[in-house]
């Protein structure tokens, strides 16, 4: 077999994963005992894994997470914030995103609300969901600017279409009439179509049962997730 022409063709077809696997198999003596079908299966597996990795990296880059290296595998459940391990692991399955439910992460400053939210968002990217992260001051600044330079429709469309919108650091500042209107339009257009994750030091009491959102409360930590429009808890079918 002509190795170099084959590699050139694979790379010309942008099959970089297959090309790398081809080089590695050629260098292994044991690969000579593999049947043609086994060779092909190994090349295809590498190409599929390579493409999945590139898609994940693209989604993660587009999400612009504050803590892009945060991962659910690195969560320390021994810290005094009293994070509910079982609940958090349920959230890590991303089922709540598939069901278009909301998530509220509350607790005092310094317990890791933003980091935990980014860890959940990073897992969502790994599972194939699109994500956008924004801190509240920056989100409304971008929306206000977009109203003036003609980008509002495009920005609004992006905020509505992503599978998960993370709104971090909801604070005590009073919203202007325009900001309230923009927020309500985003929430309304996302209803039943996408999930919203909000972190805040406020709203630390038990959420009302009528609230369609899951909740994580820390430092009396409880993660609360929006209740589905159907009755039942996070673990319900």
């Amino acid at each position: 077999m002509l190795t170099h022409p084959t590699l050139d063709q694979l790379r010309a077809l942008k099959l970089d994963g297959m090309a790398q696997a081809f080089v590695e198999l050629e260098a292994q003596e044991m690969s000579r005992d593999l049947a043609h079908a086994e060779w092909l299966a190994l090349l295809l597996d590498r190409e599929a894994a390579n493409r999945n990795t590139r898609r994940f990296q693209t989604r993660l880059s587009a999400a612009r997470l504050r803590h892009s290296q945060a991962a659910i595998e690195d969560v320390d459940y021994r810290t005094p914030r009293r994070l509910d391990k079982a609940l958090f692991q349920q959230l890590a399955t991303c089922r709540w995103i598939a069901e278009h439910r909301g998530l509220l992460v509350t607790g005092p400053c310094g317990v890791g609300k933003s980091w935990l939210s980014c860890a959940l968002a990073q897992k969502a990217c790994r599972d194939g969901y699109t994500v956008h992260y924004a801190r509240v001051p920056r989100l409304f600044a971008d929306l206000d600017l977009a109203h003036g330079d003609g980008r509002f429709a495009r920005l609004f469309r992006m905020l509505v279409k992503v599978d998960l919108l993370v709104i971090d650091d909801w604070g005590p500042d009073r919203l202007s009439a325009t900001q309230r209107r923009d927020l309500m339009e985003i929430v309304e257009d996302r209803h039943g179509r996408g999930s919203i994750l909000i972190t805040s030091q406020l709203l630390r009491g038990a959420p009302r049962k009528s609230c369609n959102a899951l909740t994580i409360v820390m430092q009396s930590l409880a993660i609360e997730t929006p209740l589905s429009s159907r009755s039942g808890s996070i673990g319900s079918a």
Side-chain angles (χ1 to χ4, degrees):
M1 180 181 291
L2 296 176
T3 302
H4 294 300
T6 300
L7 286 175
D8 290 341
Q9 286 185 322
L10 289 173
R11 287 165 179 156
L13 293 170
K14 297 184 178 180
L15 299 174
D16 298 324
M18 293 184 73
Q20 183 60 36
F22 184 86
V23 171
E24 293 175 5
L25 287 171
E26 277 285 284
Q28 299 174 7
E29 291 206 10
M30 61 179 293
S31 66
R32 297 173 185 174
D33 298 327
L34 298 176
H36 293 305
E38 293 174 316
W39 258 76
L40 180 59
L42 290 171
L43 295 179
L44 290 173
D45 284 346
R46 176 64 69 84
E47 181 62 29
N50 192 53
R51 292 190 179 197
N52 287 336
T53 297
R54 290 203 305 267
R55 292 190 189 103
F56 161 66
Q57 290 172 342
T58 299
R59 288 190 295 268
L60 186 62
S61 176
R64 299 181 179 179
L65 300 181
R66 180 178 180 181
H67 305 286
S68 61
Q69 300 303 314
I72 58 171
E73 293 81 4
D74 296 331
V75 174
D76 185 356
Y77 297 99
R78 296 169 299 179
T79 58
R81 61 189 169 201
R82 295 163 53 191
L83 181 63
D84 186 327
K85 182 176 181 179
L87 176 55
F88 191 83
Q89 289 178 336
Q90 282 185 289
L91 293 173
T93 67
C94 294
R95 177 180 170 185
W96 60 283
I97 300 176
E99 295 176 346
H100 310 311
R101 301 170 73 182
L103 175 62
L104 174 63
V105 180
T106 68
C109 180
V111 297
K113 299 184 297 297
S114 296
W115 192 93
L116 289 171
S117 298
C118 286
L120 289 172
Q122 192 250 33
K123 179 57 164 55
C125 289
R126 275 193 271 166
D127 287 358
Y129 295 103
T130 54
V131 177
H132 181 73
Y133 168 94
R135 293 186 64 253
V136 168
R138 180 62 181 271
L139 173 64
F140 288 121
D142 286 346
L143 287 169
D144 289 343
L145 185 61
H147 277 292
D149 62 14
R151 293 183 301 108
F152 181 78
R154 183 173 59 187
L155 176 58
F156 182 85
R157 191 160 51 246
M158 182 275 291
L159 293 173
V160 168
K161 286 189 174 182
V162 290
D163 297 315
L164 173 62
L165 175 60
V166 181
I167 301 178
D168 191 16
D169 200 20
W170 188 278
D173 295 338
R174 183 180 296 275
L175 301 182
S176 68
T178 299
Q179 291 171 337
R180 290 196 300 271
R181 183 180 63 247
D182 289 346
L183 179 61
M184 289 305 299
E185 288 297 324
I186 292 170
V187 172
E188 176 64 25
D189 279 28
R190 291 187 59 83
H191 179 68
R193 301 168 57 183
S195 296
I196 299 179
L197 188 162
I198 296 176
T199 74
S200 176
Q201 296 183 44
L202 308 179
L203 307 175
R204 289 169 55 188
R208 292 174 296 180
K209 292 184 178 180
S210 60
C211 177
N212 185 31
L214 300 165
T215 304
I216 295 179
V217 179
M218 290 185 272
Q219 197 60 36
S220 65
L221 231 184
I223 288 180
E224 291 182 42
T225 46
L227 302 176
S228 70
S229 44
R230 300 167 300 191
S231 62
S233 66
I234 179 175
S236 63

